[in-house]
Amino acid sequence: MDLGLLKRRGEQEWEIPLHGAMRVPGVIFADEALVRQMDDKVYQQAVNVATLPGIVSASYVMPDAHWGYGFPIGGVAAFDPQQGGVVSAGGVGFDVSCGVRCLQSGLSGAEVRAVQSELADALYAQIPAGLGSTGGVELSDEQTDAMLCGGARWAVQSGWGEARDLERIEECGQMSGADPSQVSSRARLRQRAEMGTLGSGNHYLEVQQVCDIFDLRAAEAFGLQVDDVLVAIHCGSRGLGHQVGTEFLQRMAMAESVYGIALADRELACAPIHSELGESYLGAMRAAINCALANRQILTHLVREVFNQVLPRATLKLLYDVSHNTCKSELHAGRELYVHRKGATRALGPGHPQLPLALQAVGQPVLIGGSMGTESYILVGTHSSERHAFASACHGAGRQMSRHQAARTWRGRAVVEALAGRGIIVRSPSLRGIAEEAPEAYKDVTSVVNCADAAGLARKVARTQPLICIKG
Amino acid sequence: MGAHWEHFAHAADVGIRGVGATKAQAFEQAAVAMTAVVTDPGRVTPRQMIRVTCAAPDDELLLAEWLNGLIFEMSARRMVFGRFLVQLGPGWLRGQAWGEPVDRGRHHPAVEIKGATYTELRVACANGVWLAQTVLDV
């Protein structure tokens, strides 16, 4: 990105000054090196978002931002329904409520390394991953409606998981306001064989080992110590969410003239929050959030079954579950705003009423995935998170190379062998998929996380490194 | 220039482009380009034909509808398609796609497609050559 287009506000903060049809400025949280790495399209997309009706404060860009569609990936924008604010299907994306959850195994690195290969094989056999895989869960129409209303709470009530899991999931595992009647028959059909599946692309299941603690107090509150083994699951709302995104993007694009909203990019298709279409979308999107929460809950149950066989001493307590593709109604400075986070994680600070008692004193765990060969991080929301970007932080490393280029640069088998040489076992049905997801195709997650920490978006707590990676 | 397809770079996802002597050919080639994101289209045996029909107020949205219709069929039927035939009229498309159920051992599918976006969405003709392109979310 051309630094000449920006006004520097601080070491980690840059402003895109108001110009043209922008209603608010853009704000980029990144250090100079990360800004220089960002595609010019990130600038343009942040500017386009800033032109949407009812946007509040700024069009925000997180340190891991890259060129997305409509919104940049790593984009945050809040809209006020009282000021004509909109909800945008493109602003949430196709993978509604894609997110990460982290389980604490109660095991040490040595215990897992002793059975690393056996555990990798058992997880790969049990977790449906990749295109063409199917889950073992088929739901009737009535069960699907219950799942779309109940989310992870429905899953726990159906036997997938433990009641104590729920307080460690955003919205206590159940997104309110879901309207299953807005979820089409095609979306339901796409989901028929996909409950309890991981998906493909950048989705993964990883067994990780804590290798650094940066914040002892938060780590203690989270129950984290060096050498602890964790399990991270990254996936979303599967075919149902993809179809909801597809259908409402089309309906909003068709309704552009009805609502008289001039769009800089068709992918920003949107509707007023309190219009019939806006409310239909919110009902369907919230149902898709519940689908994602239920899906990650079922996967958690499958992981527990595997550990119970291979390492029965494991406890697999849920640390937290965060979604990073959502639009949520939230109170900020006393105003009800609809906050779009596309490739961005909510980061609630200490004392927030939505946090469970055990996390009230320290804040919300913010889970940042790296790539299969690099570290992941656990951060914590801070008081300053709210001031900066409606309590939002980054969500991952962010790609620096296209899939196309990655597949031409690396061979999947060589990537697997190189990682094995570093003690990381990868299991995947697709060698080409592994090449496209090669660790070097991503930005340095440590730079991204250090920047988020220095900018005050969230504070570093722990660093983990992968031992096993199941890729779709 | 003969009908063909290509991919173009997008930071996180994949750009697909179909090129042909007619708009319909460009739409067909865009569909082949989409399959090539998942697997080698040459590995797909045309065992079964399915139909996709759609309508939209302009060519760009029609292309997105065509591709999203195919993505739905791939996902719901768990199939891949390697050959396509498109008929176009004012605001409508009738398409046929030939393919087979996904065989993970033979197709080695790289990634599933979530949806066809409106980013870089373009249908245009220059010097008698049609192109149809967009970015896929994978």
Side-chain angles (χ1 to χ4, degrees):
Chain A
M1 188 182 293
D2 178 1
L3 298 185
L5 298 167
L6 309 174
K7 190 171 134 190
R8 191 160 200 165
R9 284 181 169 184
E11 277 301 303
Q12 321 285 340
E13 193 173 330
W14 308 72
E15 179 181 323
I16 303 175
L18 277 176
H19 66 274
M22 291 173 76
R23 297 167 193 260
V24 293
V27 173
I28 300 172
F29 293 101
D31 59 28
E32 187 171 327
L34 285 170
V35 173
R36 284 188 188 279
Q37 274 181 43
M38 284 181 191
D39 197 302
D40 289 341
K41 301 273 189 183
V42 173
Y43 171 90
Q44 191 54 54
Q45 290 186 323
V47 167
N48 291 345
V49 170
T51 68
L52 291 174
I55 187 168
V56 175
S57 297
S59 165
Y60 293 105
V61 174
M62 298 292 111
D64 54 336
H66 53 81
W67 180 24
Y69 34 97
F71 280 50
I73 308 296
V76 176
F79 297 85
D80 184 347
Q82 305 306 321
Q83 302 294 324
V86 294
V87 59
S88 168
V92 172
F94 290 89
D95 199 357
V96 177
S97 197
C98 181
V100 183
R101 71 166 46 190
C102 178
L103 304 162
Q104 296 169 281
S105 74
L107 301 168
S108 69
E111 283 175 282
V112 169
R113 264 192 291 273
V115 291
Q116 193 175 357
S117 188
E118 184 191 347
L119 181 61
D121 290 340
L123 286 168
Y124 185 52
Q126 177 80 331
I127 305 296
L131 192 150
S133 65
T134 53
V137 180
E138 283 216 20
L139 304 180
S140 66
D141 289 344
E142 291 75 18
Q143 287 170 318
T144 301
D145 281 349
M147 178 271 289
L148 293 174
C149 286
R153 188 169 293 276
W154 163 85
V156 168
Q157 285 165 354
S158 303
W160 289 291
E162 302 165 4
R164 67 174 178 171
D165 293 340
L166 298 174
E167 70 166 19
R168 294 303 184 110
I169 304 172
E170 287 181 323
E171 323 305 332
C172 290
Q174 179 179 25
M175 186 72 221
S176 62
D179 183 355
S181 72
Q182 299 300 333
V183 177
S184 71
S185 56
R186 285 165 81 90
R188 290 161 187 262
L189 195 58
R190 257 179 104 165
Q191 191 62 17
R192 197 176 47 188
E194 297 202 344
M195 284 309 293
T197 62
L198 192 62
S200 65
N202 63 358
H203 292 169
Y204 60 76
L205 184 150
E206 273 190 0
V207 179
Q208 305 168 344
Q209 180 182 14
V210 177
C211 48
D212 273 317
I213 296 286
F214 306 103
D215 181 328
L216 279 173
R217 182 170 164 267
E220 191 179 338
F222 291 173
L224 293 172
Q225 296 182 67
V226 169
D227 198 35
D228 282 356
V229 170
L230 312 176
V231 179
I233 301 171
H234 177 215
C235 69
S237 49
R238 311 295 296 115
L240 184 140
H242 307 167
Q243 191 67 22
V244 165
T246 299
E247 291 172 4
F248 278 92
L249 176 65
Q250 187 243 25
R251 285 174 64 181
M252 287 177 175
M254 299 282 197
E256 185 182 342
S257 57
V258 174
Y259 297 118
I261 301 170
L263 295 175
D265 176 349
R266 262 184 156 170
E267 189 71 34
L268 292 172
C270 55
I273 290 163
H274 289 322
S275 65
E276 190 181 340
L277 181 54
E279 288 181 354
S280 293
Y281 174 67
L282 287 168
M285 186 264 300
R286 289 165 177 158
I289 289 176
N290 281 329
C291 182
L293 298 181
N295 194 49
R296 290 199 286 274
Q297 188 64 38
I298 292 171
L299 288 170
T300 297
H301 179 74
L302 299 178
V303 169
R304 284 174 171 153
E305 284 186 340
V306 170
F307 273 80
N308 196 34
Q309 285 174 5
V310 180
L311 285 159
R313 204 184 73 73
T315 51
L316 292 164
K317 207 171 85 180
L318 182 53
L319 171 61
Y320 213 68
D321 178 302
V322 296
S323 297
H324 47 229
N325 284 352
T326 59
C327 172
K328 289 187 175 175
S329 162
E330 299 172 3
L331 277 179
H332 291 279
R335 292 162 85 184
E336 186 201 26
L337 301 177
Y338 285 70
V339 184
H340 294 64
R341 294 186 182 86
K342 186 172 188 182
T345 310
R346 191 158 76 176
L348 302 178
H352 196 283
Q354 288 196 26
L355 290 175
L357 199 58
L359 299 177
Q360 282 282 332
V362 285
Q364 178 211 305
V366 176
L367 310 174
I368 308 298
S371 62
M372 58 193 160
T374 59
E375 305 97 330
S376 294
Y377 283 85
I378 297 168
L379 285 72
V380 64
T382 68
H383 287 299
S384 69
S385 313
E386 172 68 34
R387 282 204 310 274
H388 291 303
F390 302 109
S392 308
C394 51
H395 82 308
R399 286 191 80 96
Q400 63 176 353
M401 182 187 289
S402 72
R403 291 180 173 279
H404 185 59
Q405 193 182 342
R408 284 188 306 178
T409 307
W410 294 287
R411 289 283 161 268
R413 193 167 302 283
V415 173
V416 171
E417 286 168 4
L419 290 172
R422 291 167 44 200
I424 303 165
I425 297 180
V426 179
R427 295 281 186 267
S428 171
S430 172
L431 287 172
R432 180 175 143 194
I434 287 176
E436 292 182 2
E437 287 287 315
E440 294 81 1
Y442 285 84
K443 291 180 202 170
D444 173 19
V445 67
T446 300
S447 305
V448 167
V449 164
N450 284 342
C451 178
D453 182 297
L457 299 174
R459 198 173 63 249
K460 277 194 304 184
V461 176
R463 182 172 70 95
T464 70
Q465 58 194 20
L467 297 171
I468 296 170
C469 181
I470 310 296
K471 289 291 280 187
Chain B
M1 185 187 291
H4 65 279
W5 60 267
E6 59 201 29
H7 291 161
F8 61 91
H10 178 274
D13 296 304
V14 185
I16 57 163
R17 181 177 294 135
V19 179
T22 65
K23 199 192 314 179
Q25 260 187 5
F27 275 50
E28 290 163 4
Q29 290 297 315
V32 181
M34 184 163 76
T35 293
V37 171
V38 178
T39 187
D40 176 356
R43 285 189 191 158
V44 180
T45 309
R47 292 181 207 279
Q48 189 183 336
M49 187 270 285
I50 60 109
R51 295 179 194 278
V52 172
T53 58
C54 44
D58 58 58
D59 286 345
E60 278 80 17
L61 287 182
L62 195 60
L63 174 65
E65 286 298 289
W66 160 236
L67 297 172
N68 278 319
L70 290 169
I71 291 166
F72 168 76
E73 298 294 345
M74 289 164 72
S75 171
R77 295 174 188 267
R78 316 196 87 68
M79 288 179 68
V80 281
F81 302 103
R83 211 179 99 208
F84 304 89
L85 185 65
V86 166
Q87 278 183 288
L88 291 169
W92 57 261
L93 177 152
R94 282 197 281 268
Q96 291 168 274
W98 285 263
E100 61 179 332
V102 175
D103 177 337
R104 284 163 41 118
R106 193 156 46 81
H107 296 130
H108 306 295
V111 71
E112 65 187 358
I113 299 167
K114 294 171 187 166
T117 75
Y118 297 169
T119 296
E120 303 290 309
L121 178 60
R122 198 169 152 227
V123 178
C125 182
N127 303 320
V129 177
W130 281 90
L131 74 82
Q133 69 170 43
T134 194
V135 170
L136 302 177
D137 184 11
V138 297

